[in-house]
């Protein structure tokens, strides 16, 4: 036969097999790992208590793979086609490389080839990286990890552990990083969620992280606008955050602050023009506000503070008037329902409105259809049977 003189390679099977898990990389992650300055990746999962508080109890055990900026859910995919991991043996094959069934004293008597491949592991499943259509967010985990700060002017309520006393930048950064350790998203996504919540670190009975309620955030904003008007600070132009802080202090008692300075700085950072916003670990000295983004945030914050549920819904005209009154004089035209985020409110009837938390908002039909189509496409792309069927 024409193949009798063909070069042959011995195929062997080791025992016991080694434990291998194969991970399918996305093109973006593969490019990142093969770059000159490849980053360190993290495997993160929430604590049992945090997972139970945030996700469905039946889905508590999971692991996310995190880069500095991205998060991927690791999930196991079974396959009917087993994958063998092979190891080549170059050069002469020794007696230790192969177990011969026949009782042969000299392995050379078997006339074996000089090269061999050994199957050292068998994988019946692979690990794939998955990103849901809406991506990952640290906000649900931060809301359960941070203490609620709910001091406001309406009725004088103050939390039992009222934060007080300034902290150094290093200490605040250390507390924030410690809180983020248990949150299964990337550092960048955790910092983004921290910024969106206007979270801050300050002293109470102990150093802790806080998230202000909608009423507390609205109170800070009103004092901020009043102080800016009195001191002639144009919020659309660059201003010193220190000057803004002085403007909100009580003239009769400048030592008695209406709220922690860290909270004001957190609100300022949230409202700051994105391109001018310093990294989370850096002190924010200068700032200028984005009028459109800031006005939208004020409207949603006011609605969340005054009408958080359907039973507390307020009249549309009443809401729009109060929203305008919360804005600087030259921003009042920004108060319109069309300027609010999609799905942030509902109307139980044509004249009233109430706030809808982000976790309860549903995707639009178009977005849901796109997400379903993408998921189906990704599933079919990994289905070997479908690929083989399409090529026949």
């Amino acid at each position: 036969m024409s193949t009798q003189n063909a070069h042959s390679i011995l195929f062997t099977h080791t025992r016991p097999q080694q434990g291998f898990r194969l991970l399918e990389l996305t093109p973006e992650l593969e490019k990142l790992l093969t770059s000159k300055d490849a980053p360190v990746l993290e495997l993160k999962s929430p604590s049992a208590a945090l997972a139970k508080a945030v996700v469905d109890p039946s889905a508590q055990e999971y692991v996310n793979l995190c880069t500095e900026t991205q998060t991927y859910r690791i999930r196991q995919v079974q396959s009917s086609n087993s994958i063998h991991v092979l190891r080549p043996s170059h050069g002469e094959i020794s007696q230790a490389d192969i177990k011969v069934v026949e009782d042969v004293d000299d392995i050379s008597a078997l006339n074996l080839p000089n090269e061999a491949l050994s199957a050292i592991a068998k994988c019946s499943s692979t690990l794939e990286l998955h990103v849901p259509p809406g991506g990952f967010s640290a906000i649900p985990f931060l809301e359960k990890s941070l203490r609620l700060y709910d001091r406001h002017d309406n009725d004088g309520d103050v939390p039992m552990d009222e934060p007080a006393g300034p902290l150094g930048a290093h200490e605040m950064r250390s507390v924030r990083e410690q809180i983020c350790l248990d949150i299964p998203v990337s550092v960048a996504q955790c910092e983004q969620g921290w910024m969106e919540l206007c979270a801050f670190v300050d002293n109470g009975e102990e150093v802790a992280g806080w998230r202000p309620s909608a009423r507390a955030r609205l109170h800070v904003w009103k004092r901020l606008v009043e102080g800016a008007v009195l001191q002639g600070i144009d919020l659309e132009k660059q201003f010193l955050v220190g000057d803004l802080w002085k403007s909100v202090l009580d003239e009769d008692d400048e030592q008695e602050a209406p709220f922690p300075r860290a909270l004001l700085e957190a609100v300022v950072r949230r409202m700051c023009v994105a391109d001018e916003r310093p990294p989370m670990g850096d002190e924010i000295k200068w700032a200028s506000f984005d009028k459109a983004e800031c006005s939208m945030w004020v409207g949603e914050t006011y609605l969340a503070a005054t009408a958080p549920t359907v039973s507390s819904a307020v009249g549309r005209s009443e809401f729009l008037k109060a929203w305008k009154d919360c804005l600087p004089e030259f921003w009042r035209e920004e108060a319109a329902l069309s300027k609010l985020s999609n799905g942030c409110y509902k109307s139980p009837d044509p004249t009233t409105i109430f706030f809808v938390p982000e976790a309860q908002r549903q995707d639009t039909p178009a977005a849901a259809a796109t997400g379903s189509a993408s998921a189906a496409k990704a599933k079919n792309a990994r289905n070997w049977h479908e690929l083989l069927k399409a090529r026949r």
Side-chain angles (χ1 to χ4, degrees), residues 15 53 77 79 81 194 249 293 296 299 321:
R15 182 176 295 180
V77 180
S79 174
N81 301 294
W194 185 282
L249 296 177
E293 174 71 18
M296 179 181 67
K321 181 180 183 303

Short mmCIF file of all heavy atoms in Angstrom, two decimals, residues 15 53 77 79 81 194 249 293 296 299 321:
data_model
loop_
_atom_site.label_atom_id
_atom_site.label_comp_id
_atom_site.label_asym_id
_atom_site.label_seq_id
_atom_site.Cartn_x
_atom_site.Cartn_y
_atom_site.Cartn_z
N ARG A 15 -2.01 7.35 32.38
CA ARG A 15 -2.90 7.05 33.50
C ARG A 15 -2.11 7.24 34.80
O ARG A 15 -1.01 6.73 34.90
CB ARG A 15 -3.43 5.63 33.40
CG ARG A 15 -4.40 5.26 34.51
CD ARG A 15 -4.98 3.88 34.33
NE ARG A 15 -5.80 3.80 33.13
CZ ARG A 15 -6.43 2.68 32.75
NH1 ARG A 15 -6.30 1.58 33.48
NH2 ARG A 15 -7.16 2.67 31.67
N ALA A 53 -28.13 38.33 49.45
CA ALA A 53 -28.87 39.59 49.53
C ALA A 53 -29.13 40.21 48.16
O ALA A 53 -30.08 40.98 48.00
CB ALA A 53 -28.10 40.59 50.40
N VAL A 77 -19.72 24.66 30.03
CA VAL A 77 -20.50 24.21 28.88
C VAL A 77 -20.15 22.77 28.58
O VAL A 77 -18.98 22.45 28.32
CB VAL A 77 -20.23 25.09 27.64
CG1 VAL A 77 -21.05 24.61 26.45
CG2 VAL A 77 -20.53 26.55 27.95
N SER A 79 -20.07 19.27 26.44
CA SER A 79 -19.92 18.96 25.02
C SER A 79 -19.99 17.46 24.82
O SER A 79 -19.44 16.69 25.61
CB SER A 79 -18.59 19.51 24.49
OG SER A 79 -18.38 19.09 23.15
N ASN A 81 -18.60 16.06 22.35
CA ASN A 81 -17.31 15.74 21.73
C ASN A 81 -16.20 16.01 22.73
O ASN A 81 -15.94 17.17 23.07
CB ASN A 81 -17.09 16.58 20.47
CG ASN A 81 -18.17 16.35 19.44
OD1 ASN A 81 -18.31 15.27 18.89
ND2 ASN A 81 -18.97 17.39 19.19
N TRP A 194 -19.69 53.27 42.51
CA TRP A 194 -19.46 54.10 43.70
C TRP A 194 -19.75 55.57 43.37
O TRP A 194 -20.40 56.26 44.15
CB TRP A 194 -18.01 53.93 44.14
CG TRP A 194 -17.63 54.61 45.41
CD1 TRP A 194 -17.37 55.94 45.58
CD2 TRP A 194 -17.49 54.01 46.72
NE1 TRP A 194 -17.05 56.20 46.89
CE2 TRP A 194 -17.11 55.03 47.61
CE3 TRP A 194 -17.62 52.71 47.19
CZ2 TRP A 194 -16.87 54.80 48.95
CZ3 TRP A 194 -17.38 52.48 48.55
CH2 TRP A 194 -17.01 53.51 49.41
N LEU A 249 -21.63 76.28 54.28
CA LEU A 249 -21.53 76.31 55.73
C LEU A 249 -22.39 77.43 56.29
O LEU A 249 -22.60 78.47 55.67
CB LEU A 249 -20.08 76.50 56.16
CG LEU A 249 -19.11 75.37 55.79
CD1 LEU A 249 -17.70 75.74 56.22
CD2 LEU A 249 -19.53 74.06 56.43
N GLU A 293 -26.67 66.78 32.04
CA GLU A 293 -26.53 65.61 32.91
C GLU A 293 -26.95 65.95 34.33
O GLU A 293 -27.65 65.18 35.00
CB GLU A 293 -25.09 65.13 32.89
CG GLU A 293 -24.76 64.01 33.85
CD GLU A 293 -25.36 62.67 33.44
OE1 GLU A 293 -25.75 62.54 32.27
OE2 GLU A 293 -25.44 61.78 34.30
N MET A 296 -30.82 66.42 34.67
CA MET A 296 -31.49 65.13 34.65
C MET A 296 -31.35 64.44 36.01
O MET A 296 -32.32 63.88 36.54
CB MET A 296 -30.91 64.25 33.55
CG MET A 296 -31.54 62.87 33.46
SD MET A 296 -30.81 61.85 32.15
CE MET A 296 -29.16 61.61 32.82
N GLY A 299 -33.66 66.00 38.59
CA GLY A 299 -35.04 65.61 38.40
C GLY A 299 -35.32 64.21 38.92
O GLY A 299 -36.31 63.97 39.62
N LYS A 321 -42.74 71.73 38.35
CA LYS A 321 -42.52 73.02 39.01
C LYS A 321 -41.44 72.90 40.09
O LYS A 321 -40.54 73.73 40.19
CB LYS A 321 -43.82 73.53 39.61
CG LYS A 321 -43.69 74.90 40.30
CD LYS A 321 -45.01 75.36 40.88
CE LYS A 321 -44.88 76.75 41.50
NZ LYS A 321 -43.83 76.80 42.55
#
